[in-house]
Amino acid sequence: ERRRLALPQAEDGSPLYRARGLCCSFPAPVSADAGPADGGSAASGGTRTALSDCDFEILPGSFTAFIGKSGSGKSTAAKLLSGIYPSYTGSLTMKGVELSSLAPEAIYGYTTYISHRDWIFKGSVRETLQEGRGGSRIPEEELWQVLEDVQLADFVKEAGGLDAALQEGGANLSGGQRQ
């Protein structure tokens, strides 16, 4: 299966993303007391619908947040938009191209998914920001820009700069700072 790496230039005012009738379901967990009210039986496991018939548009350059009660599909929608979940029904387009036809690299240039789970290892702020770069180093000015963008630059400066120590799991940070 061939997937597109490049996206067309969007027309002014056209949405970056457009969802029409977007649905996403997952296998329901199998438990000894699962029944029809739980979306299936213990034998089959059934399915759990995370999104059903959703329509929305996201304009380029906008800051978008999904807000709702627990289990309402916020994380699912964000993971679909960022290409983490590739399976859906309905239509989900990026710059007019169906998301399922795009290579992950094409999606990653436009969307960032920030998990509610934090993964911080013991080490310095610098080491944590460099994590996952395959040995390539990010210039210091870019690291500070990232910290500015997420409103943590002042905190990091007060804590001792990029070489400030982080405890395992971010034990020395607040929940918001870990995210």
Side-chain angles (χ1 to χ4, degrees):
E1 173 184 342
R2 208 164 160 210
R3 300 185 91 178
R4 291 177 68 153
L5 285 171
L7 288 164
Q9 188 69 21
E11 296 177 24
D12 288 342
S14 65
L16 174 60
Y17 286 103
R18 177 177 281 140
R20 296 288 180 257
L22 183 62
C23 300
C24 187
S25 297
F26 299 97
V30 177
S31 68
D33 58 347
D38 300 316
S41 68
S44 70
T47 60
R48 178 180 59 82
T49 300
L51 291 175
S52 178
D53 199 28
C54 292
D55 295 343
F56 59 84
E57 291 184 351
I58 299 174
L59 297 175
S62 65
F63 180 85
T64 303
F66 292 101
I67 301 170
K69 65 181 185 176
S70 180
S72 64
K74 302 176 301 290
S75 293
T76 299
K79 288 177 180 180
L80 285 168
L81 291 171
S82 60
I84 294 170
Y85 289 163
S87 181
Y88 58 89
T89 60
S91 176
L92 180 57
T93 61
M94 175 188 270
K95 292 186 159 187
V97 177
E98 196 62 41
L99 207 68
S100 60
S101 71
L102 293 171
E105 297 82 6
I107 299 167
Y108 300 157
Y110 292 90
T111 304
T112 301
Y113 174 77
I114 301 172
S115 174
H116 65 282
R117 295 179 190 241
D118 43 72
W119 302 96
I120 299 176
F121 304 101
K122 184 177 180 179
S124 71
V125 172
R126 181 187 316 273
E127 291 166 337
T128 298
L129 292 173
Q130 300 275 8
E131 189 68 36
R133 291 293 291 220
S136 65
R137 289 290 183 221
I138 302 170
E140 191 163 315
E141 55 275 1
E142 287 183 37
L143 296 176
W144 282 111
Q145 184 59 55
V146 166
L147 292 167
E148 288 287 343
D149 291 347
V150 297
Q151 301 176 358
L152 283 174
D154 290 339
F155 168 78
V156 171
K157 287 175 186 170
E158 290 173 17
L162 292 171
D163 295 316
L166 297 174
Q167 295 176 8
E168 185 72 32
N172 57 332
L173 303 173
S174 72
Q177 291 165 335
R178 283 193 299 269
Q179 280 189 334

